Each structure stands twice: as C-alpha cells, then as structure tokens.
Amino acid sequence: MKRLFATALSIVLLGTLLIACSSNGGNAGSGNTNTDKPANETETPAETTATTYPIKTDEKLSYWGEINGNLIGVKASHSEVPFFQDWQKKTGVSLEFTAPPTGQTQEALNVMLASGDLPDMIEYNFLGFPGGPEKAINDGYILKLNDLIDKYAPNLKKFLQENPDIDKMVKTDSGSYYAFPFIRGDEYLRVFQGPIIRKDWLDELGLSVPETIDEWTAALTAFKEKKGAAAPFSVVSKPRFFNESGNGAFLGAFGVNRGFYQEDGVIKFGPSESGFKEYLS
C-alpha cells in the first residue's frame, strides 16, 4: 500500500527550497506573522486569482535529481527527455537541470547539502535520508509544506482530508508534509508491470489473450510447439524465475505475494501461505 499510494516519495519535488535570504528573516512559507507590526494593525489578505497555465514568467528554477536508470546511455540529461521538455512547456517555467553521477546519488546529495548551495527543487526519496524527512526538515534542508499546502494547494488538501488513510502515508509520524505526492488514486494507475505476450502469435494460432494459469500454459505450449519458440516465456530477460516472477508475472494468481500483506485485517506472510506452495508447484 505504501508503494501504491506514496510512490510520490521517490518523485519528491520540493519547491522554494532556499528561504534563508527571504525578506522576512527566513520565515517564508512558515505561516509566522511579522512580530514588528503594531498590535492594532491587521494584515490585508492578498487578492488571489485562479492560476492558468502556462504562466508567463522569465524566472528559471534549478532542479536536482537522478536520471532514471532506463535512460542512462540513451539521454545525456533531463533536458533531452520529452517528459521534462513538455513539463516546462505546459507550466511555462524554465528549468535548469543537474543530475548526480550514476550510482552516487546519496553521496552527491550529502556533498550538496553540506555545501549549502541548494537548488530550488530536489527529486529524492527522503525516506532514505538519515533520520528521515523530519530530520531533513529540522536541519533546514527541506521545507515543511503544511502551510504552503494550506495556502496554495486547496485541491490536494481537500483530497487528503477526504482520504485519511492516504494522508497518513504521505506525511511523517509527527504530521509534517515534506513532498507533493504522486497518488495512484485509480486502480489503473496501480498496475505498473506485468506479463506481455505476442498478440500476433495468439491471433495466428486462434488463441485468446490468456487470463488463467491453464490458459497461459496452453498458449506458451503452443508457442513452443507450433512457433518454434526456444524460450516461450522469460522474465525481465534474466533466467531467475523465482527472483523476478513475484513482481507481477503469475504469483498474484494464487492470492499471495512475496512479502507481508494484510487480508481481512490479518497480517500474513506470503511464503508461509498455501497459495505460495501452489505457485512454486
């Protein structure tokens, strides 16, 4: 469930990271009022209007994040990735990208934080930060977003209020929001990998798309015997079926998974269940 709803934790976009030089002495976004104001003076709320995109601005934001492993050797930087190109076009905000060396994300983050030269946005899973995201907030590296969400993200706030289970997943135990979450609210978004099959071969052999284990067995047997497939079935191109097949291939057909899960309010461990033995067979 953590992965289903809080994948955002690996898509952490923490805007306006640098606030130390703000005009109100570092209280930007904190919700604090200016204590130098006369007691009888009230602050007039700023008039707000609906934001439309793309916005018109000459500002450029700096963005630090690891390049997805699938793009290494294919794209040299974020700026070459169509997603990031379209993102800038749709928001109207230009981005200046920096990426840590491959395989050295943690080390590069530590060096950057120690230097104090921080970007406007960081994409990083702060659950892996020493002491967790709460420690990162307390150390002044990232912002506590509660007040900013209250002020600038009314739709997100409303959604989290209406879905307390999800709300609990996207903040620290003490109630601090530290990321804008990617919420997989629709069933369709919760499926991110699984079997792929040759539809042209199915059509040629007069077979429908298999849905049960027996149907998969029949289809793969036909691929081997009638299409001459030397390897009618493979898992992520590696000969490690029991390592990889638990990630979406067939294990779910037996009502279990490879780790702990909850069923009817009871915590279970997949490999100790009878369904896992059937799966192995």
Side-chain angles (χ1 to χ4, degrees), residues 141-153:
Y141 292 132
I142 61 176
L143 290 176
K144 181 175 179 178
L145 301 175
N146 297 50
D147 292 339
L148 294 173
I149 289 175
D150 287 346
K151 186 174 182 180
Y152 297 112

Side-chain angles (χ1 to χ4, degrees), residues 243-273:
N243 278 14
E244 307 297 343
S245 63
N247 293 330
F250 297 119
L251 180 55
F254 299 90
V256 296
N257 63 30
R258 291 178 60 187
F260 288 97
Y261 61 96
Q262 181 175 292
E263 184 176 79
D264 298 327
V266 178
I267 300 298
K268 295 185 177 181
F269 181 60
S272 69
E273 299 296 314

Side-chain angles (χ1 to χ4, degrees), residues 71-117:
L71 297 174
I72 295 175
V74 180
K75 301 294 184 183
S77 70
H78 291 88
S79 60
E80 296 181 8
V81 180
F83 167 81
F84 290 100
Q85 294 171 354
D86 202 47
W87 192 22
Q88 296 173 81
K89 187 185 303 181
K90 289 187 174 180
T91 61
V93 180
S94 297
L95 298 175
E96 182 178 351
F97 297 100
T98 303
T102 302
Q104 300 179 41
T105 302
Q106 182 66 61
E107 295 85 349
L109 178 71
N110 292 339
V111 171
M112 181 177 68
L113 295 179
S115 74
D117 184 14

